[in-house]
């Protein structure tokens, strides 16, 4: 059910056309311009993140903030480098349904339109999330709240029907720490089945969209929260609750440092029969080594279908003082950028499903 389009065939060197024997003098003259006429290597490196990821059938995306679309330095980088877009805030509940039943898509559409105009796909973020609830939603409980949740999923998904690659249907529903359980919230208090009801509602609303559960601090395989989400996904798959993907936000910092078992986390979720997407990647300090490791971990697992960084330049980040992204505030490519690009290019052109065995843990 992986419906994303295969990447276009790679461009081969111009000199793959007919070759004829040339008189020595002509050949000598042509030798002067040999650098222009030599065949390009069959696996010439791609020069942008999106193109490099496409070589293996994956995407490389970014969060886009609607308020920055008027900044041409920002849009130049975003449109050049990325082939998937997530609205950073504009498709959240407070933006899309500020009053009950009054849906507003102006800001979300602006980002969606920008993405499509620039040849990018869109991840939908997010349908049900405990923060950022408008007052009307916070005031509800019980069956009235449950109905409002269902109506919200239906209202937003109907508007974007057929236009979203994957939706974060439910975001951050599990508790931090060692409890291994759900987070308390008004949504949770409507009953433990709220997540599966959301996914079933979402499947009916837009059967073409991949449906993801998305969370932070589920990157480290040994953490209780990771295991709790894993158990939910396994349970959903066993009982036929429609779930297609897990989003690992991958906000790495001193509180959630990158761990080499990240690849085990990705491959373990994938083994349940879901795609895995790295959905909000940023790394405190932007270590090139860590960025390369994260990229290689995704590349090693066939069902890891793409990576999204949570912003374009450090100055665009929700935690800009950590300088966690791939571009400096001046738009320059940081060492982490080069590390990611090189890792993507090194993976070559084999599609995701064809090279999974190589790096599987
Ligand atoms: O980056 C987002 C920031 O601009 C918002 O103020 C904040 C609250 O809506 O959400 C941030 O994005 C979060 C994402 O939606 C879910 N995972 C954590 C992200 C960082 O806080």
């Amino acid at each position: 059910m992986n419906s994303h389009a295969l990447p276009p065939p790679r461009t081969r060197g111009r000199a793959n056309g007919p070759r004829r024997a040339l008189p020595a003098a002509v050949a000598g003259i042509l030798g002067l311009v040999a650098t222009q006429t030599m065949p390009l290597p069959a696996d010439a490196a791609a020069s942008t993140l999106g193109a490099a990821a496409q070589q293996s059938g994956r995407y490389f995306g970014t969060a886009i903030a609607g308020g920055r679309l008027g900044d041409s330095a920002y849009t130049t980088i975003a449109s050049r480098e990325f082939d998937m877009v997530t609205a950073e805030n504009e498709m959240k509940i407070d933006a899309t349904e500020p009053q009950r039943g009054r849906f507003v898509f102006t800001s979300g559409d602006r980002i969606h339109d920008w993405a499509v105009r620039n040849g990018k796909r869109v991840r939908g973020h997010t349908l049900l999330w405990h923060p950022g609830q408008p007052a009307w939603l916070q005031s509800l409980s019980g069956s009235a709240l449950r109905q409002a949740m269902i109506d919200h999923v239906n209202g937003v998904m109907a508007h974007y029907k057929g236009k979203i690659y994957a939706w974060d249907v439910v975001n951050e529903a599990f508790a931090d720490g060692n409890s291994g359980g759900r987070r308390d919230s008004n949504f949770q208090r409507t009953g433990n089945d709220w997540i599966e009801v959301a996914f079933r509602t979402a499947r009916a609303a837009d059967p073409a969209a991949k449906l993801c559960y998305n969370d932070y601090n589920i990157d480290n395989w040994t953490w209780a929260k990771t295991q709790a989400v894993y158990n939910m996904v396994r349970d959903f798959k066993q009982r036929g609750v429609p779930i297609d993907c897990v989003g690992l936000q991958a906000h790495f910092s001193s509180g959630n440092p990158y761990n080499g078992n990240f690849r085990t986390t990705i491959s373990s979720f994938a083994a349940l029969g879901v795609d895995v997407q790295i959905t909000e990647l940023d790394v405190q300090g932007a270590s090139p080594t860590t960025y390369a490791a994260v990229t290689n971990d995704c590349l090693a697992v066939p069902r890891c279908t793409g990576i999204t960084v949570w912003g374009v330049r450090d100055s665009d980040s929700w935690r800009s003082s950590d300088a966690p992204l791939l571009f400096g505030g001046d738009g320059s490519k940081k060492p982490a950028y080069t590390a990611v690009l090189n890792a993507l290019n090194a993976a070559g052109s084999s599609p995701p499903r064809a090279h999974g065995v190589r790096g599987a843990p």
Side-chain angles (χ1 to χ4, degrees):
M1 111 132 247
N2 189 334
S3 58
H4 69 254
L6 285 172
R10 303 197 62 201
T11 309
R12 303 295 293 252
R14 284 162 289 167
N16 285 341
R19 286 178 159 258
R20 298 176 199 91
L22 294 172
V26 177
I29 293 164
L30 290 180
L32 294 173
V33 289
T35 48
Q36 271 104 56
T37 56
M38 288 284 282
L40 291 172
D43 57 351
S47 61
T48 65
L49 300 169
Q54 283 173 25
Q55 295 171 112
S56 70
R58 295 181 173 81
Y59 65 82
F60 206 100
T62 184
I64 288 286
R68 296 188 196 272
L69 286 178
D71 172 352
S72 65
Y74 176 84
T75 52
T76 299
I77 301 170
S79 98
R80 182 188 70 217
E81 294 290 341
F82 302 100
D83 61 351
M84 184 72 78
V85 160
T86 305
E88 186 170 0
N89 293 305
E90 293 76 359
M91 295 187 190
K92 293 174 179 174
I93 309 180
D94 49 356
T96 51
E97 197 180 357
Q99 279 136 26
R100 184 161 194 178
R102 188 173 74 83
F103 287 91
V104 178
F105 296 111
T106 326
S107 304
D109 285 354
R110 190 155 166 256
I111 292 182
H112 193 283
D113 291 350
W114 181 87
V116 170
R117 228 176 20 251
N118 288 283
K120 301 164 196 332
R121 293 181 292 170
V122 177
R123 293 191 81 264
H125 177 79
T126 173
L127 295 168
L128 294 176
W129 189 29
H130 61 285
Q133 292 185 35
W136 68 266
L137 193 58
Q138 290 179 45
S139 73
L140 299 179
S141 61
S143 57
L145 174 57
R146 177 62 70 85
Q147 190 58 49
M149 293 157 68
I150 292 169
D151 293 346
H152 181 75
V153 170
N154 279 325
V156 177
M157 289 190 78
H159 179 77
Y160 288 109
K161 189 170 183 181
K163 298 177 170 178
I164 297 289
Y165 163 70
W167 269 109
D168 292 332
V169 177
V170 170
N171 198 40
E172 302 176 5
F174 278 78
D176 291 313
N178 291 321
S179 77
R182 299 281 184 87
R183 170 194 300 283
D184 179 49
S185 72
N186 56 342
F187 294 161
Q188 182 63 31
R189 289 191 291 272
T190 67
N192 204 51
D193 64 343
W194 74 275
I195 299 182
E196 61 194 82
V197 168
F199 276 85
R200 291 189 199 281
T201 304
R203 176 67 92 227
D206 185 356
K210 287 177 181 290
L211 306 180
C212 301
Y213 176 79
N214 190 52
D215 214 329
Y216 66 89
N217 288 5
I218 57 168
D219 314 298
N220 186 321
W221 179 240
T222 67
W223 285 17
K225 188 172 172 182
T226 311
Q227 294 298 314
V229 173
Y230 176 84
N231 288 334
M232 178 189 73
V233 175
R234 187 176 54 187
D235 172 55
F236 279 12
K237 293 301 287 184
Q238 280 169 355
R239 290 192 294 113
V241 177
I243 183 168
D244 305 311
C245 37
V246 171
L248 307 177
Q249 293 185 9
H251 291 294
F252 291 113
S253 65
S254 49
N256 177 36
Y258 171 79
N259 185 292
N261 67 29
F262 187 53
R263 189 176 296 194
T264 302
T265 305
I266 297 174
S267 61
S268 300
F269 276 112
L272 294 176
V274 289
D275 288 351
V276 178
Q277 299 164 14
I278 297 172
T279 51
E280 305 183 12
L281 177 62
D282 51 17
V283 179
Q284 187 175 42
S287 150
T289 313
T290 301
Y291 262 106
V294 170
T295 306
N296 283 323
D297 290 341
C298 180
L299 289 166
V301 181
R303 289 198 78 154
C304 183
T305 59
I307 299 174
T308 293
V309 286
W310 205 239
V312 178
R313 303 161 301 192
D314 284 336
S315 49
D316 305 314
S317 171
W318 66 295
R319 45 183 189 141
S320 55
S321 61
D322 288 344
L325 294 173
L326 301 177
F327 293 89
D330 61 357
S332 59
K333 295 171 178 172
K334 294 166 63 180
Y337 170 93
T338 309
V340 170
L341 186 67
N342 288 346
L344 293 170
N345 277 321
S349 57
S350 52
R353 278 159 217 286
H355 69 100
V357 180
R358 187 187 59 188

